[in-house]
Amino acid sequence: MTPGRDPGRGPVDSGEPDRLYVVTGGRSRTHEDSFDLVTLVVSEAEPARGMQSEHIRILQLCRRPMAVVELSSYVGLPVGVVKILLCDLLDTGLITARHPSSAGRGRQLPPRETLKKVLLALQKL
């Protein structure tokens, strides 16, 4: 047994580099800049038979809008790996992705003084 390793965890869920290589199909970078940490992802289809288990888990989790960083936490994989998997799903039309700032376009921000008051209140916490 490897020192410091949880004996209840198997090689599939250990997060070791060889496992991540298999999950991403050997890719180490995404081909798109569609995703950052706060990009909201929503499933557009149900998982299909024969899909990779990580893709299935992402589709199940994204039945409601979920941020990339949140997905990474729930799936238990590094953000970079999750972005690669999300690109696969986006390319096949199984998910949609939207940055939260695009939802507020055309809306006016609160007055600057209000934002300052909120910031000061948060700092006092």
Side-chain angles (χ1 to χ4, degrees):
M1 179 161 80
T2 307
R5 186 167 169 192
D6 180 2
R9 292 180 64 169
V12 170
D13 59 356
S14 67
E16 294 176 3
D18 56 343
R19 163 76 174 131
L20 299 179
Y21 182 86
V22 171
V23 168
T24 62
R27 294 166 290 161
S28 61
R29 296 177 192 247
T30 61
H31 62 278
E32 296 183 33
D33 293 328
S34 300
F35 303 100
D36 61 19
L37 295 178
V38 295
T39 301
L40 295 174
V41 180
V42 180
S43 299
E44 295 297 331
E46 290 296 316
R49 189 176 261 163
M51 288 181 80
Q52 186 174 330
S53 63
E54 292 81 7
H55 287 138
I56 291 170
R57 182 76 176 125
I58 289 170
L59 289 174
Q60 291 170 338
L61 288 168
C62 291
R63 289 184 176 133
R64 65 173 181 82
M66 186 170 290
V68 171
V69 70
E70 210 176 353
L71 272 171
S72 175
S73 174
Y74 282 123
V75 176
L77 293 171
V79 172
V81 172
V82 171
K83 286 181 180 182
I84 292 169
L85 296 172
L86 289 172
C87 280
D88 295 342
L89 294 170
L90 186 64
D91 288 347
T92 56
L94 296 174
I95 61 167
T96 54
R98 185 175 77 188
H99 197 278
S101 65
S102 66
R105 287 192 183 136
R107 290 188 193 164
Q108 198 170 16
L109 290 175
R112 189 175 194 91
E113 283 305 311
T114 303
L115 294 174
K116 284 182 183 179
K117 288 177 184 177
V118 170
L119 179 61
L120 287 173
L122 288 172
Q123 289 173 340
K124 288 180 183 179
L125 291 176

